[in-house]
Amino acid sequence: MQTFMEMVQKGLLPRLEIRSADPREPVEVISVPKPWRLVGAGNYAAVVLHPEEPDKVVKVYAEGRPGLREEVEVYRKLGRHPAYSECYGAGDTFLVLKRLTGVTIYECLRRGIRIPEKVIRDIDAALEYARKRGLNPHDVHGKNVMMIEGRGVVVDVSDFLKDEYCIMWSDFKKSYYALYKPLLLRFPVPLPGPLLNMLRKGYRLVRRRES
């Protein structure tokens, strides 16, 4: 692990360029040094991996974005659970996490991949587990949950120490049972990315007006 941490400190961080112009939008990844590869980007950080360590990912927080120490504490409270990643180590601006390899629920919708009801129940159980560990699941939506071999997992726990109640997952479940299950579960069809992005932005606008 020490060798990998040195790879991150010396080979990745000095040449990785990311920025966060809008905290409500994913960070912008300008460049990733080879042989590192971009896995994804969220509102706070970019996630990359090294081909020699495919079971690990490095989550690098953009400059000025808070939450790293809080995320470390979340993983400490979660311990080991099959529906969550694990934190192997941390630096001043990054975390080393266990890699979860699957397809996000957002990508399932975009690509027309069937989302079994078991996935929804797995995520519900994982969130209840987190509550029993003293955490408050927050910002749980289609891009932050994943399906791995027909099972549901939670990918992003960075906001699980926030106090306020978050209705995102509850709203997603309502849509799943009211629309997806009766209309698309048996015969899923791809939903275009622009449509999903429009729905995402519209949802956020409505929630901001209601709050």
Side-chain angles (χ1 to χ4, degrees):
M1 189 62 194
Q2 181 62 35
T3 300
F4 185 75
M5 295 288 280
E6 291 177 0
M7 288 169 58
V8 174
Q9 295 275 15
K10 298 177 181 179
L12 173 64
L13 297 183
R15 294 181 290 158
L16 176 68
E17 293 185 54
I18 59 175
R19 65 185 178 191
S20 178
D22 185 343
R24 293 168 298 186
E25 297 293 335
V27 300
E28 299 176 39
V29 181
I30 311 302
S31 67
V32 178
K34 293 181 179 180
W36 296 89
R37 179 167 64 83
L38 180 67
V39 175
N43 291 351
Y44 302 151
V47 179
V48 300
L49 65 80
H50 194 284
E52 294 181 5
E53 297 282 352
D55 295 330
K56 301 183 182 70
V57 292
V58 182
K59 183 173 183 178
V60 184
Y61 274 70
E63 184 177 0
R65 299 307 303 156
L68 185 147
R69 294 302 163 194
E70 290 81 357
E71 188 166 359
V72 171
E73 176 63 11
V74 170
Y75 278 113
R76 186 192 69 78
K77 288 190 172 186
L78 285 174
R80 288 189 173 184
H81 188 280
Y84 292 100
S85 177
E86 297 177 41
C87 182
Y88 295 143
D92 292 336
T93 61
F94 70 93
L95 307 176
V96 178
L97 303 174
K98 174 185 174 182
R99 184 187 180 191
L100 299 176
T101 55
V103 184
T104 65
I105 300 304
Y106 172 87
E107 277 298 305
C108 288
L109 294 171
R110 193 181 70 82
R111 292 159 53 184
I113 299 173
R114 183 175 179 272
I115 306 168
E117 188 176 355
K118 173 63 176 171
V119 171
I120 306 301
R121 294 199 301 266
D122 284 346
I123 295 168
D124 268 343
L127 299 182
E128 183 59 28
Y129 167 83
R131 294 185 188 99
K132 290 179 179 178
R133 305 286 288 188
L135 298 166
N136 180 34
H138 194 280
D139 198 32
V140 182
H141 53 76
K143 289 187 175 181
N144 285 347
V145 293
M146 183 180 284
M147 180 171 68
I148 302 176
E149 297 180 351
R151 304 302 299 266
V153 301
V154 182
V155 180
D156 192 342
V157 300
S158 55
D159 288 328
F160 276 31
L161 287 181
K162 287 189 173 181
D163 293 329
E164 65 266 25
Y165 176 68
C166 180
I167 203 169
M168 280 187 177
W169 178 245
S170 177
D171 282 350
F172 181 88
K173 282 198 303 178
K174 289 177 183 177
S175 298
Y176 179 90
Y177 286 108
L179 299 173
Y180 185 89
K181 186 176 179 180
L183 299 177
L184 296 173
L185 181 59
R186 290 185 64 188
F187 304 104
V189 297
L191 301 178
L195 172 62
L196 292 171
N197 195 45
M198 181 181 68
L199 292 173
R200 177 182 66 88
K201 290 184 176 182
Y203 171 82
R204 288 189 172 185
L205 179 62
V206 169
R207 282 302 174 197
R208 284 202 298 271
R209 287 177 176 175
E210 291 178 349
S211 62

